[in-house]
């Protein structure tokens, strides 16, 4: 999961004790989370370019790289 929240995110952060989990949302759960204004995140695999070819490593258009990753 990427560290910064994303308005078009599909992942909810779940804290249980001293562990953090990612809950992937779909369908009605995702729509309800967006309607409630919940803070959602993007899966790291969606934005990470590691181990991908030059054509498949493209970031989604609504995400911009952070200054530290340039």
């Amino acid at each position: 999961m990427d560290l910064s929240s994303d308005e078009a995110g599909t992942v909810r952060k779940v804290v249980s004790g001293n562990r953090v989990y990612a809950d992937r949302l779909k369908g009605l759960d995702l729509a309800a989370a967006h309607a409630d204004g919940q803070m959602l995140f993007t899966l790291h695999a969606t934005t990470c370019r590691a181990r991908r070819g030059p054509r498949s490593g493209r970031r989604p258009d609504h995400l911009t790289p952070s200054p530290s990753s340039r």
Side-chain angles (χ1 to χ4, degrees):
M1 186 166 52
D2 284 344
L3 295 177
S4 58
S5 63
D6 177 12
E7 290 180 4
T10 59
V11 179
R12 177 176 30 213
K13 182 169 73 170
V14 179
V15 179
S16 177
N18 62 350
R19 294 183 179 222
V20 177
Y21 297 94
D23 184 16
R24 293 181 77 176
L25 302 175
K26 296 186 223 176
L28 293 176
D29 291 334
L30 179 58
H34 280 287
D36 291 342
Q38 292 183 23
M39 185 182 293
L40 299 177
F41 298 85
T42 298
L43 280 178
H44 182 72
T46 305
T47 60
C48 181
R49 297 178 186 202
R51 298 185 191 163
R52 293 187 189 181
R55 294 180 183 212
S56 64
R58 188 166 177 262
R59 291 177 191 248
D61 291 335
H62 71 280
L63 295 176
T64 57
S66 64
S68 63
S69 65
R70 290 183 191 172

